[in-house]
Amino acid sequence: MAKHKKSFCAEDLRARILTQDIAPGSDLDEARLAEEYGISRTPLREVLQRLAGGGFVRLEENRGAKVESMDFATMRVFFQTAPLIYCSVARQAAENRTSRQVADLKDIQHEFIGVARAGDAASAGLLNHAFHEKIGDMARNPYLLAGLRRMLIDHTRLGQTFFAPQSEADKTRVTKAIEQHDAMISAIEAQEPNLATDLTLQHWDLSRDQLEKFVRPDPLPLDVLSMKERRNAL
Amino acid sequence: MAKHKKSFCAEDLRARILTQDIAPGSDLDEARLAEEYGISRTPLREVLQRLAGGGFVRLEENRGAKVESMDFATMRVFFQTAPLIYCSVARQAAENRTSRQVADLKDIQHEFIGVARAGDAASAGLLNHAFHEKIGDMARNPYLLAGLRRMLIDHTRLGQTFFAPQSEADKTRVTKAIEQHDAMISAIEAQEPNLATDLTLQHWDLSRDQLEKFVRPDPLPLDVLSMKERRNAL
DNA sequence: AAAATTCAAATTGTATACAAAAAGTATTGG
DNA sequence: CCAATACTTTTTGTATACAATTTGAATTTT
């Protein structure tokens, strides 16, 4: 029973960090969380250590745990590195996948489609995460997988808005993402590394466009500032 | 004091794993280690959790910690992935390094040369590890760094023989490795990404040749088995 | 004798009490 | 009124006792 509560705690904290229910940079109070999850501080600390090992959390000597933050510098690196890691992983996934893993991936995609169509943004984000992590498993490359996992933490957190469509155009993008996942599954199942790589790159492009729009939104229309005010500002 | 003993424990276990003083696959007994390092089980477990987070150790539910093993499958992946990660990291290190970091790298290299020439294989392996990890820091890429760190664990363990030269040819290889490190430092300091990448690839080739010789040694001379015996063996 | 079961020992996981460190608050002196 | 210092409170780190699980041996059963 206690074992169950501990793994629930770990899973729950992970999900809350990925969905930004707990914001980047937040302090995590041991005593409060232990109380909240009904376990003592010892196992809670072990959960935090593991989350720290996975890059979800940062531990600082004598001053507790903080959710790993996302500064501008790392976001730049994120956009720079994502294609390399995602494509390398996809290629090897197509080469090395087992049929068992393909079945798992299809299950995840099935669930993903359900919640994404229903507009459950948090679940969609987490299942999208699971989808890409599963492809990481398939690649059977612990070195790339380590990098992929770090990348997915930031990607999922940044992309929280992606699956909460506002406009019709947003809904189209979600539909497109679903179709791309299906195509990726087919390529991986058919063991076509080149195709899997291409499709992954397209999928990344879609995600990147959306993310950049969020990170670097369209500038406000200039005329909200009258000429007078602009002159005064100088 | 206790804080000091804990970090010593963490550092020492890390070093013993990297030098194969503790062999891959070994069981780590909590009680024994806690006693050995003069700390209680609680902080020792935290050390193990962290080592697990870094990929040094694998924790299994209710059956303790084992040093991460190296099977044939991952070795294949290792040879496949190393050039990609090392070169990507080197390129970005050349682009992003600070002069402070270059100074640190030179210090490491200086120490490295000392112990390598003295034939202290364990220290040379650890300092070679530190050298490449420092280049990882310089790249300022947490995603690639995560993969690099995993890779270095296996590389350092596999390469334990590298810095324990037997023949004259081995000594030549160590000298060459030292020179390559110097050249890499220069390229990084001069912020020449292409050169840094080329030199890294050459450095990898040297290491790979040595590793492959160790993993797949020259076959024994056939004539140790007489013709009679070979006929009998059939 | 081989397999299964039960019991004992060892090992891992958790809770709690205590120690050490950091953060916050009040008090004192300028 | 501000600044510095001492004191209190809160939070983090460690040790230890206890609970739960696994491992290994001995006994029983087939």
Side-chain angles (χ1 to χ4, degrees), chain A residues 80-138:
Chain A
Q80 193 180 19
T81 313
L84 175 68
I85 290 189
Y86 283 129
C87 288
S88 302
V89 165
R91 168 174 301 280
Q92 294 188 28
E95 287 168 354
N96 301 326
R97 99 287 182 286
T98 67
S99 41
R100 172 84 198 149
Q101 289 172 320
V102 173
D104 291 346
L105 191 63
K106 285 178 180 174
D107 289 345
I108 293 169
Q109 167 73 346
H110 185 74
E111 267 199 88
F112 170 66
I113 291 173
V115 296
R117 293 234 173 95
D120 180 352
S123 300
L126 291 174
L127 281 160
N128 181 65
H129 187 107
F131 182 89
H132 291 285
E133 196 167 33
K134 191 77 203 175
I135 294 178
D137 281 346
M138 289 171 163

Side-chain angles (χ1 to χ4, degrees), chain B residues 76-87:
Chain B
R76 189 184 142 74
V77 176
F78 172 80
F79 284 107
Q80 193 180 20
T81 313
L84 175 68
I85 290 188
Y86 283 130
C87 288

Side-chain angles (χ1 to χ4, degrees), chain B:
Chain B
M1 193 62 187
K3 188 70 47 63
H4 187 253
K5 281 196 272 185
K6 183 178 171 184
S7 56
F8 172 78
C9 165
E11 257 311 302
D12 192 57
L13 283 176
R14 176 180 172 278
R16 289 171 66 188
I17 290 170
L18 288 175
T19 58
Q20 298 214 36
D21 181 45
I22 307 177
S26 306
D27 284 308
L28 298 175
D29 182 349
E30 287 180 8
R32 247 191 89 242
L33 289 173
E35 169 108 43
E36 199 172 318
Y37 288 105
I39 55 182
S40 76
R41 278 179 54 225
T42 309
L44 184 100
R45 286 180 121 242
E46 296 209 341
V47 167
L48 293 179
Q49 301 272 352
R50 287 196 198 178
L51 289 172
F56 293 87
V57 152
R58 169 182 300 277
L59 297 176
E60 270 168 292
E61 191 88 331
N62 285 321
R63 66 191 54 170
K66 279 192 203 312
V67 175
E68 192 77 42
S69 57
M70 288 188 297
D71 54 10
F72 252 103
T74 62
M75 279 201 7
R76 189 184 142 74
V77 176
F78 172 80
F79 284 107
Q80 193 180 20
T81 313
L84 175 68
I85 290 188
Y86 283 130
C87 288
S88 302
V89 165
R91 157 163 270 109
Q92 295 188 29
E95 287 167 355
N96 301 326
R97 99 289 183 284
T98 66
S99 42
R100 171 83 197 151
Q101 288 172 321
V102 173
D104 291 346
L105 190 63
K106 285 178 179 174
D107 288 345
I108 294 169
Q109 168 73 346
H110 184 75
E111 267 198 90
F112 170 67
I113 291 174
V115 295
R117 293 232 173 96
D120 179 353
S123 300
L126 291 174
L127 281 161
N128 181 65
H129 187 108
F131 182 89
H132 290 285
E133 196 167 34
K134 191 78 203 174
I135 294 177
D137 281 346
M138 289 172 164
R140 299 207 175 284
N141 188 322
Y143 316 110
L144 289 178
L145 183 56
L148 177 73
R149 288 219 167 103
R150 301 297 169 112
M151 188 141 262
L152 281 173
I153 293 172
D154 290 343
H155 200 160
T156 300
R157 294 199 293 183
L158 280 171
Q160 250 333 85
T161 55
F162 193 103
F163 301 112
Q166 305 293 319
S167 63
E168 275 306 311
D170 286 347
K171 284 184 187 165
T172 308
R173 266 191 286 275
V174 172
T175 304
K176 197 170 176 189
I178 290 172
E179 288 167 0
Q180 288 176 335
H181 277 195
D182 283 328
M184 289 163 70
I185 294 173
S186 299
I188 289 169
E189 185 167 30
Q191 299 196 283
E192 299 194 43
N194 290 328
L195 181 55
T197 306
D198 285 350
L199 292 168
T200 299
L201 204 55
Q202 289 172 32
H203 190 51
W204 165 248
D205 285 341
L206 177 70
S207 179
R208 188 203 54 201
D209 290 347
Q210 174 78 2
L211 289 178
E212 277 179 352
K213 199 159 292 174
F214 177 68
V215 171
R216 191 149 47 101
D218 292 329
L220 294 172
L222 285 176
D223 49 16
V224 294
L225 297 175
S226 78
M227 278 306 162
K228 281 182 278 183
E229 284 167 324
R230 292 177 77 191
R231 242 179 297 148
N232 292 341
L234 296 175

Side-chain angles (χ1 to χ4, degrees), chain A residues 132-150:
Chain A
H132 291 285
E133 196 167 33
K134 191 77 203 175
I135 294 178
D137 281 346
M138 289 171 163
R140 298 204 175 288
N141 187 321
Y143 317 108
L144 289 179
L145 183 55
L148 178 73
R149 288 219 167 102
R150 301 298 170 110

